Coordinates of all heavy atoms in Angstrom, one line a residue:
G99 N -23.0 31.7 17.0 CA -22.0 30.7 16.4 C -21.1 30.1 17.4 O -20.4 29.1 17.1
N184 N -8.9 30.7 14.5 CA -10.0 31.5 14.0 C -9.9 32.9 14.7 O -9.0 33.2 15.6 CB -11.4 30.9 14.2 CG -11.8 30.8 15.7 OD1 -11.4 31.6 16.6 ND2 -12.7 29.9 16.0
G217 N -15.2 32.9 9.9 CA -16.6 32.7 9.8 C -17.2 33.2 8.5 O -16.6 33.1 7.4
Q243 N -22.7 24.2 11.8 CA -21.4 24.9 11.6 C -20.2 24.0 12.2 O -19.1 24.4 12.1 CB -21.4 26.1 12.5 CG -22.5 27.2 12.0 CD -22.4 28.4 12.9 OE1 -21.3 28.9 13.2 NE2 -23.5 28.8 13.4
A246 N -16.5 23.4 10.5 CA -16.2 24.2 9.3 C -14.8 24.6 9.3 O -14.1 24.5 8.2 CB -17.1 25.5 9.2
G247 N -14.3 25.0 10.4 CA -12.9 25.4 10.5 C -11.9 24.3 10.3 O -10.9 24.5 9.6
Ligands
LIG424 MG1 -17.4 29.0 12.8

Side-chain angles (χ1 to χ4, degrees):
N184 71 22
Q243 300 179 47

